[in-house]
Amino acid sequence: MFKIGTFNKISPVGLNKLTDEYTIIDDHNEAQGIILRSYDMHDMDFSDNLLAIGRAGAGTNNVPVDRCTEQGICVFNAPGANANAVKELVICGMILAARNVTAGYSWAKTLVGSEEVGKQIEKGKGQFAGVEIMGKTLGVIGLGAIGVLVANAAVALGMKVVGYDAFLSDKAKENLDDAVEIVSDLSQLYPVCDFISIHVPANDSTKGMINREAFDQMKDGVFFLNFSRDKLMNDADLLEALNSGKVETYVTDFADDAVLNADQDDIIVLPHLGASSAEAEENCASMAVTQVMDYLENGNVTNSVNMPNVSLGKRKGSRVSVFCKEGAASDVLARLVEYGATEMKSASKNGYTYILADVSVPEFKLSIAGVIRTRYMK
């Protein structure tokens, strides 16, 4: 019986995928797997029982991935499961900003109880005149699952689209609308765009990447949308760009204190609604649960942020998995051959190797320097 712990409210559609071999428990120290959404795990201690963490979403900033790697805990996410929900909100945010919808709505609410409201509306609506997005140019920074959908939706709405991704995948190229222009450097994107939407992960290389140098290259009056992470923005440079008119409006789903405390009409803050749709929560939970189950039962890895993808399909007999430092992999593989492994697969990622092997021995023991975790499944 596998024990599963949960944090946050996980969609029952996902949890219902757990079979009779699983039980949901309250004591996370006994769990072999944990499913969560945004709960911050950085201050948690992990027991030796924990084998896998499934994040029901794309970002894993709330999970101490490096520490999990050191302990041989596989961390999964659910890339693309919430992509449509985020795409729809990005398009919504772009139109809210372009047409001054939030400012107009706030002003209209002040007229409650006034006399001749209709006349006042007609007289005052001109101050909220905006622009249409059709015919404008949208720059999309980051062409992963969400960025591709945003780019294609913008094309369908009659926009010109310029896209940039430092690590553009073949899958993204295949899925992108032919009308999307791909550039090799952000200096080619910034000067030509009326709207810019960013969709990249938050890490050491992207932290504060949207700064004064970036703003200086953009058009005056650009609309900037951030539905990725607040850490991508240099707040001081952003506020300076807003106050100077370089940025017309900033729309974000990830506000921090600096942005909220600015309390400016040219900042539209949403309360992290990107993946907050019933469909997205169901999709993310289902993907996270399914991946954790496959790992616990079969040792297969799909969509892990700290281990490479390796699969031998559904386990029919005994199977061994080994997670080790890359330098130890050859010794591990040699030992598995000695144990008469009938089939083996391995892959490496970021200096670590994950190995799966079907074996016909009643037990498996391994003592090799550099091995982080070994599992024997039967």
Side-chain angles (χ1 to χ4, degrees):
M1 180 71 71
F2 293 108
K3 298 176 180 178
I4 300 295
T6 63
F7 288 107
N8 310 118
K9 184 180 179 181
I10 306 300
S11 168
V13 173
L15 294 179
N16 286 343
K17 292 187 175 296
L18 295 171
T19 65
D20 293 339
E21 297 180 19
Y22 294 82
T23 181
I24 297 177
I25 62 172
D26 295 325
D27 186 354
H28 296 88
N29 290 319
E30 296 182 7
Q32 284 99 24
I34 290 177
I35 309 296
L36 79 161
R37 292 171 61 195
S38 58
Y39 183 87
D40 191 342
M41 305 184 81
H42 285 277
D43 293 331
M44 285 185 63
D45 292 324
F46 300 131
S47 75
D48 292 337
N49 295 320
L50 187 60
L51 300 172
I53 295 172
R55 163 74 165 96
T60 54
N61 302 67
N62 57 317
V63 180
V65 176
D66 289 344
R67 181 153 58 90
C68 289
T69 303
E70 293 169 0
Q71 294 183 232
I73 300 168
C74 192
V75 180
F76 296 93
N77 67 345
N82 60 11
N84 185 71
V86 178
K87 174 209 73 177
E88 290 186 0
L89 199 64
V90 171
I91 299 300
C92 172
M94 184 160 53
I95 295 173
L96 286 176
R99 299 299 299 272
N100 284 322
V101 174
T102 56
Y105 171 79
S106 296
W107 174 75
K109 292 286 285 184
T110 68
L111 301 179
V112 173
S114 300
E115 295 182 2
E116 298 185 317
V117 170
K119 290 183 178 180
Q120 292 189 60
I121 289 287
E122 290 304 315
K123 183 178 179 180
K125 68 180 183 181
Q127 62 187 303
F128 305 108
V131 297
E132 297 179 15
I133 64 172
M134 185 175 181
K136 303 299 189 300
T137 299
L138 170 67
V140 180
I141 303 172
L143 294 168
I146 296 171
V148 167
L149 291 183
V150 169
N152 291 348
V155 169
L157 289 170
M159 301 185 77
K160 295 173 60 178
V161 180
V162 179
Y164 167 81
D165 195 309
F167 307 99
L168 185 62
S169 67
D170 291 336
K171 182 179 180 180
K173 291 179 183 178
E174 293 174 4
N175 292 335
L176 272 173
D177 191 292
D178 291 339
V180 177
E181 177 188 354
I182 304 298
V183 296
S184 58
D185 194 272
L186 285 172
S187 63
Q188 299 169 275
L189 180 149
Y190 288 143
V192 299
C193 295
D194 306 294
F195 296 81
I196 296 175
S197 188
I198 189 166
H199 303 280
V200 301
N203 52 43
D204 290 341
S205 64
T206 60
K207 183 178 180 180
M209 65 178 285
I210 306 302
N211 52 25
R212 181 178 298 171
E213 181 182 356
F215 288 124
D216 285 346
Q217 299 176 64
M218 298 178 194
K219 277 186 177 183
D220 290 342
V222 67
F223 294 84
F224 199 97
L225 299 101
N226 177 11
F227 285 75
S228 292
R229 285 292 184 272
D230 59 310
K231 292 179 176 60
L232 303 174
M233 311 299 294
N234 181 306
D235 288 333
D237 294 348
L238 167 65
L239 295 175
E240 181 181 321
L242 284 163
N243 293 332
S244 70
K246 169 61 74 170
V247 175
E248 177 72 20
T249 305
Y250 176 59
V251 188
T252 184
D253 204 26
F254 291 91
D256 56 18
D257 289 340
V259 169
L260 278 175
N261 290 337
D263 192 24
Q264 299 180 190
D265 290 338
D266 50 9
I267 298 176
I268 299 175
V269 176
L270 303 178
H272 198 180
L273 296 178
S276 294
S277 72
E279 296 85 351
E281 291 178 6
E282 292 172 1
N283 293 340
C284 288
S286 296
M287 185 179 290
V289 168
T290 300
Q291 291 168 171
V292 168
M293 290 173 63
D294 195 20
Y295 181 72
L296 295 179
E297 297 173 24
N298 305 304
N300 298 326
V301 175
T302 306
N303 292 329
S304 170
V305 299
N306 64 338
M307 293 188 184
N309 289 342
V310 177
S311 177
L312 282 178
K314 186 173 179 60
R315 180 174 58 82
K316 297 181 176 64
S318 298
R319 180 172 290 175
V320 171
S321 72
V322 181
F323 183 61
C324 62
K325 293 183 179 179
E326 198 167 357
S330 58
D331 290 338
V332 173
L333 290 166
R335 185 65 57 83
L336 285 167
V337 171
E338 293 176 6
Y339 269 86
T342 57
E343 187 175 2
M344 291 190 295
K345 282 188 179 181
S346 66
S348 297
K349 181 177 183 177
N350 299 330
Y352 295 91
T353 299
Y354 185 68
I355 301 168
L356 271 184
D358 286 334
V359 296
S360 56
V361 293
E363 61 179 13
F364 181 81
K365 295 181 180 180
L366 193 64
S367 179
I368 295 176
V371 171
I372 298 171
R373 190 158 212 164
T374 301
R375 292 176 61 207
Y376 178 70
M377 295 161 272
K378 64 178 181 178

